[in-house]
Amino acid sequence: MDFQVNGETYFLSLAEDERRWLVFVSTETGARPVPVYVDVPEFEGLVVVDDQASRKIPN
């Protein structure tokens, strides 16, 4: 995903193999990495709730 803040373009990507976010800022000489501070503990698991049965699609 790319977005702009104060006229600067940033790129956000998920490094799935490393389980972390990568952020880069666009400069005249190319992309420069931006450090990402993580202030939350590691999560132990992810629960996905499937509510497909409650969704009704009208014909």
PDB file of all heavy atoms in Angstrom, residues 12-30:
ATOM      1  N   LEU A  12       3.997   0.759   2.305  1.00  0.00           N
ATOM      2  CA  LEU A  12       3.853  -0.177   3.417  1.00  0.00           C
ATOM      3  C   LEU A  12       3.713  -1.578   2.851  1.00  0.00           C
ATOM      4  O   LEU A  12       2.935  -1.814   1.931  1.00  0.00           O
ATOM      5  CB  LEU A  12       2.613   0.175   4.244  1.00  0.00           C
ATOM      6  CG  LEU A  12       2.246  -0.758   5.374  1.00  0.00           C
ATOM      7  CD1 LEU A  12       3.297  -0.701   6.478  1.00  0.00           C
ATOM      8  CD2 LEU A  12       0.885  -0.406   5.921  1.00  0.00           C
ATOM      9  N   SER A  13       4.484  -2.508   3.387  1.00  0.00           N
ATOM     10  CA  SER A  13       4.453  -3.883   2.911  1.00  0.00           C
ATOM     11  C   SER A  13       4.603  -4.821   4.100  1.00  0.00           C
ATOM     12  O   SER A  13       5.215  -4.478   5.100  1.00  0.00           O
ATOM     13  CB  SER A  13       5.590  -4.118   1.917  1.00  0.00           C
ATOM     14  OG  SER A  13       5.578  -5.438   1.444  1.00  0.00           O
ATOM     15  N   LEU A  14       4.042  -6.004   3.967  1.00  0.00           N
ATOM     16  CA  LEU A  14       4.161  -7.024   5.017  1.00  0.00           C
ATOM     17  C   LEU A  14       5.184  -8.057   4.577  1.00  0.00           C
ATOM     18  O   LEU A  14       5.033  -8.691   3.532  1.00  0.00           O
ATOM     19  CB  LEU A  14       2.815  -7.704   5.266  1.00  0.00           C
ATOM     20  CG  LEU A  14       2.818  -8.847   6.272  1.00  0.00           C
ATOM     21  CD1 LEU A  14       3.225  -8.353   7.648  1.00  0.00           C
ATOM     22  CD2 LEU A  14       1.460  -9.511   6.330  1.00  0.00           C
ATOM     23  N   ALA A  15       6.245  -8.215   5.360  1.00  0.00           N
ATOM     24  CA  ALA A  15       7.246  -9.253   5.100  1.00  0.00           C
ATOM     25  C   ALA A  15       6.750 -10.513   5.792  1.00  0.00           C
ATOM     26  O   ALA A  15       7.029 -10.745   6.965  1.00  0.00           O
ATOM     27  CB  ALA A  15       8.604  -8.834   5.623  1.00  0.00           C
ATOM     28  N   GLU A  16       5.972 -11.312   5.071  1.00  0.00           N
ATOM     29  CA  GLU A  16       5.324 -12.478   5.676  1.00  0.00           C
ATOM     30  C   GLU A  16       6.317 -13.483   6.226  1.00  0.00           C
ATOM     31  O   GLU A  16       6.080 -14.083   7.269  1.00  0.00           O
ATOM     32  CB  GLU A  16       4.412 -13.144   4.661  1.00  0.00           C
ATOM     33  CG  GLU A  16       3.215 -12.288   4.312  1.00  0.00           C
ATOM     34  CD  GLU A  16       2.274 -12.992   3.365  1.00  0.00           C
ATOM     35  OE1 GLU A  16       2.133 -14.214   3.487  1.00  0.00           O
ATOM     36  OE2 GLU A  16       1.683 -12.312   2.526  1.00  0.00           O
ATOM     37  N   ASP A  17       7.444 -13.668   5.547  1.00  0.00           N
ATOM     38  CA  ASP A  17       8.426 -14.636   6.018  1.00  0.00           C
ATOM     39  C   ASP A  17       9.101 -14.183   7.306  1.00  0.00           C
ATOM     40  O   ASP A  17       9.618 -14.987   8.062  1.00  0.00           O
ATOM     41  CB  ASP A  17       9.465 -14.932   4.933  1.00  0.00           C
ATOM     42  CG  ASP A  17      10.142 -13.680   4.415  1.00  0.00           C
ATOM     43  OD1 ASP A  17       9.539 -12.588   4.486  1.00  0.00           O
ATOM     44  OD2 ASP A  17      11.277 -13.780   3.928  1.00  0.00           O
ATOM     45  N   GLU A  18       9.083 -12.861   7.565  1.00  0.00           N
ATOM     46  CA  GLU A  18       9.698 -12.317   8.780  1.00  0.00           C
ATOM     47  C   GLU A  18       8.662 -11.891   9.806  1.00  0.00           C
ATOM     48  O   GLU A  18       9.004 -11.482  10.899  1.00  0.00           O
ATOM     49  CB  GLU A  18      10.588 -11.125   8.422  1.00  0.00           C
ATOM     50  CG  GLU A  18      11.714 -11.480   7.483  1.00  0.00           C
ATOM     51  CD  GLU A  18      12.506 -10.257   7.066  1.00  0.00           C
ATOM     52  OE1 GLU A  18      12.529  -9.273   7.830  1.00  0.00           O
ATOM     53  OE2 GLU A  18      13.089 -10.285   5.980  1.00  0.00           O
ATOM     54  N   ARG A  19       7.371 -11.935   9.448  1.00  0.00           N
ATOM     55  CA  ARG A  19       6.262 -11.528  10.308  1.00  0.00           C
ATOM     56  C   ARG A  19       6.440 -10.121  10.849  1.00  0.00           C
ATOM     57  O   ARG A  19       6.348  -9.876  12.043  1.00  0.00           O
ATOM     58  CB  ARG A  19       6.069 -12.529  11.440  1.00  0.00           C
ATOM     59  CG  ARG A  19       5.702 -13.907  10.947  1.00  0.00           C
ATOM     60  CD  ARG A  19       5.567 -14.861  12.084  1.00  0.00           C
ATOM     61  NE  ARG A  19       4.477 -14.419  12.955  1.00  0.00           N
ATOM     62  CZ  ARG A  19       4.192 -14.972  14.116  1.00  0.00           C
ATOM     63  NH1 ARG A  19       4.897 -15.982  14.539  1.00  0.00           N
ATOM     64  NH2 ARG A  19       3.210 -14.528  14.851  1.00  0.00           N
ATOM     65  N   ARG A  20       6.714  -9.174   9.933  1.00  0.00           N
ATOM     66  CA  ARG A  20       6.845  -7.778  10.352  1.00  0.00           C
ATOM     67  C   ARG A  20       6.482  -6.860   9.197  1.00  0.00           C
ATOM     68  O   ARG A  20       6.450  -7.260   8.043  1.00  0.00           O
ATOM     69  CB  ARG A  20       8.255  -7.480  10.841  1.00  0.00           C
ATOM     70  CG  ARG A  20       9.320  -7.589   9.780  1.00  0.00           C
ATOM     71  CD  ARG A  20      10.721  -7.381  10.376  1.00  0.00           C
ATOM     72  NE  ARG A  20      11.707  -7.367   9.329  1.00  0.00           N
ATOM     73  CZ  ARG A  20      12.385  -6.290   8.963  1.00  0.00           C
ATOM     74  NH1 ARG A  20      12.197  -5.156   9.575  1.00  0.00           N
ATOM     75  NH2 ARG A  20      13.262  -6.356   7.986  1.00  0.00           N
ATOM     76  N   TRP A  21       6.216  -5.603   9.544  1.00  0.00           N
ATOM     77  CA  TRP A  21       5.896  -4.593   8.543  1.00  0.00           C
ATOM     78  C   TRP A  21       7.169  -3.927   8.045  1.00  0.00           C
ATOM     79  O   TRP A  21       8.095  -3.719   8.809  1.00  0.00           O
ATOM     80  CB  TRP A  21       4.975  -3.528   9.141  1.00  0.00           C
ATOM     81  CG  TRP A  21       3.613  -4.033   9.439  1.00  0.00           C
ATOM     82  CD1 TRP A  21       3.112  -4.346  10.667  1.00  0.00           C
ATOM     83  CD2 TRP A  21       2.569  -4.285   8.496  1.00  0.00           C
ATOM     84  NE1 TRP A  21       1.825  -4.785  10.542  1.00  0.00           N
ATOM     85  CE2 TRP A  21       1.464  -4.752   9.222  1.00  0.00           C
ATOM     86  CE3 TRP A  21       2.468  -4.163   7.114  1.00  0.00           C
ATOM     87  CZ2 TRP A  21       0.273  -5.087   8.606  1.00  0.00           C
ATOM     88  CZ3 TRP A  21       1.266  -4.507   6.502  1.00  0.00           C
ATOM     89  CH2 TRP A  21       0.194  -4.956   7.245  1.00  0.00           C
ATOM     90  N   LEU A  22       7.167  -3.570   6.769  1.00  0.00           N
ATOM     91  CA  LEU A  22       8.255  -2.810   6.169  1.00  0.00           C
ATOM     92  C   LEU A  22       7.670  -1.503   5.657  1.00  0.00           C
ATOM     93  O   LEU A  22       6.625  -1.493   5.008  1.00  0.00           O
ATOM     94  CB  LEU A  22       8.881  -3.580   5.003  1.00  0.00           C
ATOM     95  CG  LEU A  22       9.456  -4.952   5.329  1.00  0.00           C
ATOM     96  CD1 LEU A  22       9.918  -5.639   4.041  1.00  0.00           C
ATOM     97  CD2 LEU A  22      10.605  -4.831   6.294  1.00  0.00           C
ATOM     98  N   VAL A  23       8.342  -0.401   5.964  1.00  0.00           N
ATOM     99  CA  VAL A  23       7.892   0.914   5.509  1.00  0.00           C
ATOM    100  C   VAL A  23       9.062   1.595   4.805  1.00  0.00           C
ATOM    101  O   VAL A  23      10.194   1.575   5.304  1.00  0.00           O
ATOM    102  CB  VAL A  23       7.410   1.786   6.698  1.00  0.00           C
ATOM    103  CG1 VAL A  23       6.940   3.145   6.212  1.00  0.00           C
ATOM    104  CG2 VAL A  23       6.303   1.088   7.459  1.00  0.00           C
ATOM    105  N   PHE A  24       8.775   2.178   3.655  1.00  0.00           N
ATOM    106  CA  PHE A  24       9.777   2.894   2.878  1.00  0.00           C
ATOM    107  C   PHE A  24       9.220   4.260   2.515  1.00  0.00           C
ATOM    108  O   PHE A  24       8.018   4.422   2.329  1.00  0.00           O
ATOM    109  CB  PHE A  24      10.117   2.142   1.580  1.00  0.00           C
ATOM    110  CG  PHE A  24      10.693   0.779   1.801  1.00  0.00           C
ATOM    111  CD1 PHE A  24       9.887  -0.336   1.851  1.00  0.00           C
ATOM    112  CD2 PHE A  24      12.055   0.616   1.976  1.00  0.00           C
ATOM    113  CE1 PHE A  24      10.407  -1.594   2.063  1.00  0.00           C
ATOM    114  CE2 PHE A  24      12.594  -0.643   2.192  1.00  0.00           C
ATOM    115  CZ  PHE A  24      11.770  -1.747   2.232  1.00  0.00           C
ATOM    116  N   VAL A  25      10.109   5.242   2.405  1.00  0.00           N
ATOM    117  CA  VAL A  25       9.723   6.568   1.942  1.00  0.00           C
ATOM    118  C   VAL A  25      10.419   6.797   0.604  1.00  0.00           C
ATOM    119  O   VAL A  25      11.575   6.417   0.411  1.00  0.00           O
ATOM    120  CB  VAL A  25      10.075   7.675   2.968  1.00  0.00           C
ATOM    121  CG1 VAL A  25      11.566   7.759   3.212  1.00  0.00           C
ATOM    122  CG2 VAL A  25       9.514   9.015   2.527  1.00  0.00           C
ATOM    123  N   SER A  26       9.695   7.396  -0.315  1.00  0.00           N
ATOM    124  CA  SER A  26      10.234   7.664  -1.641  1.00  0.00           C
ATOM    125  C   SER A  26      11.096   8.930  -1.588  1.00  0.00           C
ATOM    126  O   SER A  26      10.675   9.963  -1.065  1.00  0.00           O
ATOM    127  CB  SER A  26       9.083   7.859  -2.634  1.00  0.00           C
ATOM    128  OG  SER A  26       9.569   8.146  -3.908  1.00  0.00           O
ATOM    129  N   THR A  27      12.329   8.836  -2.114  1.00  0.00           N
ATOM    130  CA  THR A  27      13.231   9.986  -2.181  1.00  0.00           C
ATOM    131  C   THR A  27      13.675  10.171  -3.623  1.00  0.00           C
ATOM    132  O   THR A  27      13.391   9.338  -4.486  1.00  0.00           O
ATOM    133  CB  THR A  27      14.470   9.793  -1.283  1.00  0.00           C
ATOM    134  OG1 THR A  27      15.253   8.722  -1.811  1.00  0.00           O
ATOM    135  CG2 THR A  27      14.080   9.491   0.151  1.00  0.00           C
ATOM    136  N   GLU A  28      14.396  11.244  -3.888  1.00  0.00           N
ATOM    137  CA  GLU A  28      14.888  11.501  -5.239  1.00  0.00           C
ATOM    138  C   GLU A  28      15.885  10.442  -5.693  1.00  0.00           C
ATOM    139  O   GLU A  28      16.047  10.202  -6.882  1.00  0.00           O
ATOM    140  CB  GLU A  28      15.523  12.879  -5.311  1.00  0.00           C
ATOM    141  CG  GLU A  28      14.532  14.008  -5.129  1.00  0.00           C
ATOM    142  CD  GLU A  28      15.207  15.364  -5.117  1.00  0.00           C
ATOM    143  OE1 GLU A  28      16.441  15.440  -5.219  1.00  0.00           O
ATOM    144  OE2 GLU A  28      14.468  16.360  -5.007  1.00  0.00           O
ATOM    145  N   THR A  29      16.561   9.804  -4.746  1.00  0.00           N
ATOM    146  CA  THR A  29      17.568   8.798  -5.091  1.00  0.00           C
ATOM    147  C   THR A  29      17.039   7.371  -4.959  1.00  0.00           C
ATOM    148  O   THR A  29      17.796   6.423  -5.107  1.00  0.00           O
ATOM    149  CB  THR A  29      18.815   8.949  -4.194  1.00  0.00           C
ATOM    150  OG1 THR A  29      18.422   8.820  -2.825  1.00  0.00           O
ATOM    151  CG2 THR A  29      19.479  10.295  -4.422  1.00  0.00           C
ATOM    152  N   GLY A  30      15.754   7.208  -4.657  1.00  0.00           N
ATOM    153  CA  GLY A  30      15.157   5.884  -4.509  1.00  0.00           C
ATOM    154  C   GLY A  30      14.450   5.737  -3.173  1.00  0.00           C
ATOM    155  O   GLY A  30      14.307   6.695  -2.419  1.00  0.00           O
TER     156      GLY A  30
END
